[in-house]
Amino acid sequence: MRHFDVQIIGGAVLHDGSIAEMKTGEGKTLVSTLAAYLNALTGEGVHVVTVNDYLAQRDAEWMGRVHRFLGLSVGLIQRGMTAEERRFNYRCDITYTNNSELGFDYLRDNLAGNSGQLVMRWPKPFHFAIVDEVDSVLIDEGRNPLLISGEASKDAARYPVAAKIAELLVQGLHYNVELKDNSVELTEEGIALAETALETNDLWDENDPWARFVMNALKAKEFYRRDVQYIVRDGKALIINELTGRVEEKRRWSEGIHQAVEAKEGLKIQADSVIVAQITYQSLFKLYPKLSGMTGTAKTEEKEFLKMFQIPVIEVPTNLPNIRKDLPIQAFATARGKWDHVRQEVAYMFRLGRPVLVGTTSVENSEHLSDLLREWNIPHNVLNARPKYAGKEAEIVAQAGQKNAITISTNMAGRGTDIILGGNPKMLAKEIIEDQLLSGLTQEAPNVEVDGGEISQKVLSKIKVKSSSLALLAKAALMAKYVCKSEGKSWTYQKAKTLILEAVEMSQSINLKDIEKLVDEESEMYPLGPTIALAYLSVLKDCEVHCSREGYEVKKIGGLHVIGTSLHESRRIDNQLRGRAGRQGDPGSTRFMVSLQDEMFQKFNFDTEWAVRLISKITNDEDVPIEGETIVKQLLALQINVEKYFFGIRKSLVEFDEVLEVQRKHVYDLRQLILTGDSESCSQYILQYMQAVVDEIVFGNVDPLKHPRSWSLGKLMKEFISIAGKLLDDGIFEDSFAGITKDALLKSLGQLHDSSSIDIDSFYLPNLPKPSNSFRGIRRKSSSLKRWLTICSDDLTANGRYRATINLLRKYLGDILIASYLNVIEESGYDDAYVKEIERAVLVKTLDCFWRDHLINMNRLSSAVNIRSFGHRNPLEEYKIDGCRFFISMLSATRRLTVETLLRYWSSPMESQELFL
């Protein structure tokens, strides 16, 4: 392969930290090697991020050869890998991964209990990223945060009850729905009926809160449809990614929605969850000092990329002129008319021999169209979230350009495999090898639900294969049967497929002479792999001839025809579908057909009456389509308005998340410093926490403008003693500290205020107990002096006549607490390593505990502040103010509990041992 000139331009755009918009088929995968290699030379790591595991693996194997040849190491992150495997791959110069694995690895690293559990390159895990399908990752999936959850409430029994209540309630009478933002609102009648059925006086009773369960059940009933938002498989409700059409087995809706869907379907209710870590893709990718991306459609969203990420979109010219014909949009009054016309157009193209790709928006629609085509006996392939189709995804897309091929797909965004006119010879050759050899390698039948056996076709009859290729196939088949029989091997269907895949990869990585040598070598083991590789290479040549000839015929009759069956909420997604036709200067055409009953028109209150009147003026037949500038302008205006609406939502989410982003960065940076820092730095955090706790107690009970007699000294001493506990009686003081009275403290502060100087070296308050030999050695004396300088220079104490007295009181009580802590550790007899391990464990676990609670509070706050807009208050400003207050309280509570836990632990280590070990 050699980069075209336009691909070198694309590489320069990526290196510049911009988004390269390159049309489908222009070779974005090869372009990424340029910027990835150049930026990996610093040794800080480059991440090439794709949208799924298949593409990450394909690109790592395909493009990894280039990087390895140039002396760089290449890593691959896949679902199911162990922590050790992930750590090794992240240490490589270039790492291929998908966006969700990257995000969850980052979150898991920030839940790690020790530095040995970290997998990314800390302390600098992010350097440079190239994001494939960047618009899909940062814009489409940007609405959904990545969440790691833990089990929470045990209210599973309430969900089925709420589902039954939802069945009783009638839309329009008991509740109203807002399709645009997927919200429901109970009417007075609905509230009364629900309360009667549940035998409760108040649906929103805090002690018995049924409202959340009923509202979630109504949302599950109205907005979460089977075979659209999810499918049911093996007793589970599995989410369908609306952008890629794929099933996401590990993902669950939060806030009780998933449980409500399970109850609606009569499935086993899985435990409710609570968020323990979360981040949006926008926040994740903002962590990269340098970020770039590739996509075929981003220009329409350039303003959003500039506003949110400060990344420009640069259009890279095509290598050959685009000669695709985009036919006018056709509008129908009814969905029935639209689907019937789609079938007619597919049948017409099938008679011509042209390949057709039909894009649908859901599993439901794709299977409806499939049924219509079966009625007319039109052969076709379906690609949707059903596992029996997903298992053959790459093969289906690769052969979608063959003559007479009809392909129905739920969504083509992020499929990653090009549609080559005439078919993909490599995929075709692999299918022939599998057709001929699998029956000899395994007795196990394919799992139709997983392996797509139902739609697998015998392709050998379609291809004119030479006799030499047939001979090699026969030899490989005979050898496969003999090996299985003689060695008693009983391969599973998947193992047999893996063996063939490895042989195909061998044919790509070893030259022909070496493979022939391996075949001819005599050994105890029959050279089955090399023989299959040799057969594959021979069949591949025949397939290349066949695909080239068929591609020429397909081009003559017009190329690939793409049919869109509805307009998407974004013009960009429609353009992705259009871009499947006309790659690399090929001929092709596209046509979009919409009906006024499509979901988008209902959801966004499009003036369908106006459109129906317009159609009725043109024709009396509601199933006849209309075309023209007037209807196209109206549809385009609707799409632009919808884009603006969703941009507003994403912008609001980003602004809200920016508040949490700052807090998350502070917590995660602190956490990593604790985990990866040396033991001395960990101890310094403990001492800082102790001083901070003392400061909070002091500031809550004094006033720099008033004389100490008006301060709450009794309360101050009570709070301080409650923190330090019995450590104050452990004999490190010359006199009993716990016996200090309010009057004694007041008298001492008065003498201190009247004193003209103070000896820092032997600092204590006049006539009050002082620790004996509390800060011995240069290191401890230096630490004590630094604390005093910090106290004097900070702005925590307000200006006033008694400011200096307050600072001296802070220092004195801080010294007392720290000296008590250091003394009890020394008396415990444990070595430094054990002490530091306990300190680190307490710091991390306390921080995690409060951060988890803080996330719950912030999520509740984000919902609650919207109500304040009714009082003419800005929800975002309210969120910032309250969020900041919550965060300060969280840090304060974290410090106090950390100090209390450590003091309690060292007071009686054997009693507390099980808590943190």
Side-chain angles (χ1 to χ4, degrees):
M1 287 185 172
R2 179 198 175 278
H3 291 91
F4 295 128
D5 291 350
V6 293
Q7 289 179 311
I8 295 173
I9 293 171
V13 169
L14 295 179
H15 176 62
D16 196 41
S18 301
I19 291 171
E21 181 182 273
M22 301 181 70
K23 303 303 178 191
T24 303
E26 289 296 303
K28 293 188 285 291
T29 307
L30 188 61
V31 166
S32 68
T33 58
L34 297 166
Y37 170 75
L38 185 56
N39 285 272
L41 293 177
T42 61
E44 296 173 274
V46 169
H47 296 161
V48 182
V49 185
T50 65
V51 292
N52 60 52
D53 270 357
Y54 162 72
L55 293 179
Q57 183 176 6
R58 185 202 69 177
D59 293 354
E61 291 169 356
W62 192 12
M63 298 296 119
R65 296 180 219 162
V66 177
H67 300 304
R68 291 188 191 98
F69 175 75
L70 294 170
L72 299 180
S73 56
V74 178
L76 170 66
I77 303 296
Q78 296 272 275
R79 190 175 69 184
M81 279 186 170
T82 64
E84 190 58 43
E85 289 171 328
R86 289 173 185 272
R87 193 176 300 113
F88 173 80
N89 285 300
Y90 275 119
R91 294 294 182 275
C92 293
D93 297 310
I94 298 170
T95 303
Y96 286 83
T97 181
N98 72 61
N99 50 343
S100 65
E101 289 297 323
L102 180 71
F104 283 123
D105 279 339
Y106 175 71
L107 291 177
R108 279 191 290 263
D109 270 8
N110 284 291
L111 292 173
N114 57 66
S115 57
Q117 295 174 358
L118 302 176
V119 299
M120 301 186 85
R121 285 180 172 230
W122 295 97
K124 291 184 178 179
F126 303 114
H127 167 53
F128 173 60
I130 301 171
V131 184
D132 193 14
E133 304 293 350
V134 65
D135 54 332
S136 175
V137 173
L138 294 185
I139 292 181
D140 299 328
E141 295 195 40
R143 298 184 221 170
N144 305 317
L146 290 167
L147 305 173
I148 291 182
S149 303
E151 287 192 11
S153 60
K154 306 292 182 184
D155 288 322
R158 293 191 179 219
Y159 289 103
V161 176
K164 294 292 183 185
I165 300 296
E167 289 177 14
L168 292 174
L169 302 178
V170 179
Q171 183 186 339
L173 174 63
H174 299 119
Y175 65 95
N176 298 311
V177 301
E178 181 57 63
L179 291 171
K180 193 191 294 188
D181 55 9
N182 283 9
S183 62
V184 294
E185 182 182 3
L186 284 168
T187 62
E188 292 295 331
E189 292 84 353
I191 293 170
L193 179 58
E195 288 177 346
T196 302
L198 292 167
E199 298 180 352
T200 180
N201 295 324
D202 185 1
L203 210 56
W204 279 269
D205 183 358
E206 289 184 8
N207 298 318
D208 190 27
W210 273 101
R212 179 171 71 91
F213 296 94
V214 173
M215 299 300 271
N216 280 347
L218 289 172
K219 287 179 181 178
K221 174 184 174 182
E222 294 294 334
F223 306 126
Y224 293 83
R225 289 178 291 156
R226 186 169 177 164
D227 292 339
V228 179
Q229 276 81 21
Y230 66 94
I231 63 169
V232 175
R233 189 172 82 207
D234 300 331
K236 296 178 181 177
L238 303 176
I239 296 173
I240 299 173
N241 186 314
E242 62 182 35
L243 303 166
T244 64
R246 292 187 179 89
V247 170
E248 298 191 336
E249 296 191 28
K250 299 291 183 182
R251 189 176 148 207
R252 287 178 65 82
W253 289 302
S254 57
E255 298 178 356
I257 291 293
H258 212 105
Q259 287 79 7
V261 170
E262 289 168 337
K264 182 182 81 169
E265 294 292 344
L267 306 173
K268 181 182 177 183
I269 311 295
Q270 296 189 33
D272 208 345
S273 58
V274 61
I275 297 166
V276 296
Q278 74 175 64
I279 193 170
T280 61
Y281 283 123
Q282 289 101 329
S283 295
L284 177 68
F285 285 101
K286 280 180 184 178
L287 296 171
Y288 285 92
K290 185 177 178 182
L291 179 66
S292 64
M294 310 179 291
T295 182
T297 47
K299 202 64 181 174
T300 55
E301 317 291 344
E302 183 174 21
K303 287 182 180 177
E304 187 165 348
F305 280 116
L306 279 171
K307 188 173 184 67
M308 293 188 180
F309 304 98
Q310 294 76 53
I311 305 177
V313 178
I314 310 296
E315 285 185 276
V316 178
T318 55
N319 185 46
L320 295 170
N322 186 352
I323 58 172
R324 184 187 72 226
K325 293 179 182 176
D326 293 327
L327 303 172
I329 296 173
Q330 293 182 331
F332 296 81
T334 65
R336 187 190 71 247
K338 177 187 74 173
W339 289 115
D340 191 51
H341 209 75
V342 169
R343 177 169 60 175
Q344 290 176 30
E345 184 141 336
V346 169
Y348 173 69
M349 292 295 169
F350 180 71
R351 287 195 297 272
L352 292 178
R354 288 183 65 181
V356 179
L357 172 66
V358 186
T360 62
T361 55
S362 68
V363 173
E364 188 179 51
N365 287 338
S366 66
E367 295 186 342
H368 173 64
L369 179 58
S370 178
D371 291 339
L372 291 177
L373 295 182
R374 280 200 195 96
E375 288 176 9
W376 285 13
N377 295 317
I378 299 173
H380 60 279
N381 278 328
V382 178
L383 182 55
N384 62 28
R386 300 273 189 221
K388 62 182 177 181
Y389 302 127
K392 300 279 286 184
E393 176 178 328
E395 290 91 334
I396 292 172
V397 177
Q399 306 313 334
Q402 285 185 313
K403 194 175 180 182
N404 292 114
I406 310 296
T407 307
I408 303 169
S409 174
T410 46
N411 201 306
M412 290 306 297
R415 291 292 180 191
T417 309
D418 281 347
I419 297 176
I420 302 170
L421 295 186
N424 185 320
K426 290 183 178 178
M427 288 288 188
L428 207 57
K430 181 168 164 282
E431 280 191 63
I432 290 174
I433 294 291
E434 287 183 351
D435 285 344
Q436 296 299 300
L437 301 185
L438 280 175
S439 58
L441 288 169
T442 178
Q443 301 300 313
E444 184 180 293
N447 183 344
V448 172
E449 270 296 298
V450 175
D451 299 305
E454 185 184 84
I455 59 170
S456 178
Q457 300 172 354
K458 299 291 180 185
V459 293
L460 187 60
S461 59
K462 301 179 183 178
I463 312 294
K464 193 177 278 186
V465 178
K466 291 180 181 176
S467 56
S468 57
S469 300
L470 289 171
L472 282 167
L473 278 172
K475 181 181 177 182
L478 192 63
M479 189 176 290
K481 286 182 180 178
Y482 191 81
V483 168
C484 286
K485 187 177 179 182
S486 64
E487 299 186 19
K489 288 185 182 292
S490 180
W491 281 310
T492 63
Y493 184 81
Q494 276 306 120
K495 178 81 183 295
K497 285 194 77 169
T498 302
L499 178 73
I500 292 173
L501 181 61
E502 287 171 354
V504 170
E505 288 172 358
M506 180 195 296
S507 72
Q508 302 297 302
S509 56
I510 302 176
N511 65 50
L512 181 60
K513 287 184 179 178
D514 289 341
I515 294 174
E516 289 172 343
K517 189 178 177 183
L518 287 170
V519 171
D520 293 336
E521 282 179 355
E522 291 185 13
S523 64
E524 292 180 12
M525 291 291 293
Y526 283 88
L528 181 57
T531 304
I532 295 174
L534 205 58
Y536 171 79
L537 286 172
S538 183
V539 171
L540 179 59
K541 287 181 182 177
D542 299 333
C543 290
E544 284 171 345
V545 172
H546 169 83
C547 290
S548 177
R549 184 174 62 248
E550 191 158 293
Y552 175 74
E553 292 178 12
V554 170
K555 287 178 185 178
K556 278 203 306 183
I557 55 178
L560 177 69
H561 183 60
V562 172
I563 301 174
T565 55
S566 67
L567 292 179
H568 199 270
E569 293 162 354
S570 169
R571 291 167 291 165
R572 180 172 43 80
I573 305 298
D574 294 338
N575 289 337
Q576 285 177 359
L577 184 59
R578 289 189 179 101
R580 289 289 167 176
R583 65 178 290 279
Q584 284 291 329
D586 288 341
S589 57
T590 67
R591 165 89 76 186
F592 271 75
M593 301 182 191
V594 300
S595 87
L596 301 180
Q597 292 178 339
D598 286 350
E599 186 178 2
M600 189 175 79
F601 301 126
Q602 307 298 321
K603 199 171 183 178
F604 292 94
N605 301 319
F606 179 66
D607 188 359
T608 51
E609 289 185 11
W610 166 86
V612 170
R613 286 197 302 271
L614 180 64
I615 291 172
S616 62
K617 285 180 183 178
I618 299 169
T619 174
N620 292 324
D621 188 349
E622 62 180 14
D623 292 341
V624 172
I626 63 164
E627 301 173 8
E629 284 189 17
T630 308
I631 192 74
V632 169
K633 281 181 180 178
Q634 286 289 327
L635 295 173
L636 190 61
L638 172 65
Q639 262 191 318
I640 291 171
N641 286 335
V642 173
E643 283 176 3
K644 288 178 180 176
Y645 171 76
F646 282 116
F647 171 67
I649 290 176
R650 289 192 297 271
K651 182 169 174 286
S652 175
L653 282 172
V654 168
E655 288 172 341
F656 273 72
D657 194 58
E658 280 173 350
V659 178
L660 199 56
E661 189 179 321
V662 174
Q663 299 174 357
R664 185 190 302 112
K665 189 174 187 311
H666 178 89
V667 170
Y668 283 0
D669 285 353
L670 174 60
R671 205 178 185 284
Q672 290 303 324
L673 285 171
I674 293 168
L675 286 182
T676 59
D678 57 28
S679 57
E680 196 58 40
S681 64
C682 197
S683 294
Q684 287 303 313
Y685 280 119
I686 301 295
L687 302 188
Q688 288 172 18
Y689 277 21
M690 289 183 172
Q691 184 63 59
V693 168
V694 166
D695 289 347
E696 287 172 8
I697 293 171
V698 171
F699 292 141
N701 294 285
V702 302
D703 185 342
L705 299 174
K706 296 179 180 178
H707 190 277
R709 73 171 67 92
S710 64
W711 296 355
S712 304
L713 295 179
K715 183 166 170 272
L716 184 151
M717 287 302 297
K718 186 178 178 182
E719 287 182 33
F720 180 74
I721 291 170
S722 72
I723 292 286
K726 62 182 181 180
L727 290 182
L728 299 178
D729 296 322
D730 280 352
I732 65 166
F733 303 101
E734 295 176 356
D735 300 301
S736 173
F737 185 89
I740 296 175
T741 63
K742 172 185 171 182
D743 293 336
L745 180 58
L746 178 60
K747 182 180 178 183
S748 179
L749 290 173
Q751 291 176 351
L752 186 65
H753 180 68
D754 296 334
S755 174
S756 58
S757 63
I758 184 167
D759 182 6
I760 295 298
D761 195 45
S762 58
F763 176 83
Y764 65 97
L765 292 186
N767 302 318
L768 292 183
K770 63 175 181 178
S772 56
N773 301 320
S774 52
F775 297 103
R776 290 165 294 177
I778 294 174
R779 183 178 294 174
R780 288 189 177 179
K781 284 186 177 181
S782 173
S783 173
S784 176
L785 183 57
K786 281 180 182 176
R787 270 192 306 111
W788 172 239
L789 292 174
T790 302
I791 288 170
C792 291
S793 60
D794 65 32
D795 296 324
L796 297 177
T797 309
N799 287 324
R801 184 180 177 187
Y802 296 95
R803 186 176 192 273
T805 305
I806 291 173
N807 284 341
L808 289 166
L809 178 61
R810 289 167 59 192
K811 177 67 168 63
Y812 172 71
L813 292 179
D815 281 355
I816 293 292
L817 188 60
I818 291 168
S820 303
Y821 177 71
L822 296 175
N823 184 71
V824 78
I825 286 176
E826 284 181 9
E827 290 182 351
S828 70
Y830 290 109
D831 60 26
D832 281 350
Y834 179 79
V835 170
K836 304 310 176 193
E837 183 186 344
I838 294 297
E839 288 180 341
R840 184 173 277 119
V842 172
L843 275 167
V844 168
K845 293 195 176 186
T846 308
L847 183 62
D848 286 351
C849 176
F850 280 103
W851 175 245
R852 184 169 62 243
D853 292 343
H854 180 69
L855 285 177
I856 296 169
N857 291 334
M858 292 297 283
N859 281 326
R860 288 174 179 165
L861 178 63
S862 66
S863 302
V865 292
N866 290 319
I867 300 171
R868 301 183 194 179
S869 60
F870 294 116
H872 303 289
R873 287 189 285 179
N874 185 326
L876 179 60
E877 291 303 316
E878 293 288 310
Y879 183 74
K880 285 179 179 177
I881 293 166
D882 283 0
C884 182
R885 185 166 53 81
F886 284 2
F887 189 61
I888 292 169
S889 298
M890 183 212 83
L891 293 179
S892 173
T894 302
R895 288 191 293 265
R896 181 166 288 220
L897 184 61
T898 300
V899 171
E900 287 177 347
T901 304
L902 284 169
L903 292 173
R904 188 172 69 249
Y905 182 90
W906 293 116
S907 297
S908 50
M910 297 310 294
E911 293 176 20
S912 311
Q913 215 166 18
E914 70 278 1
L915 291 175
F916 295 104
L917 290 180

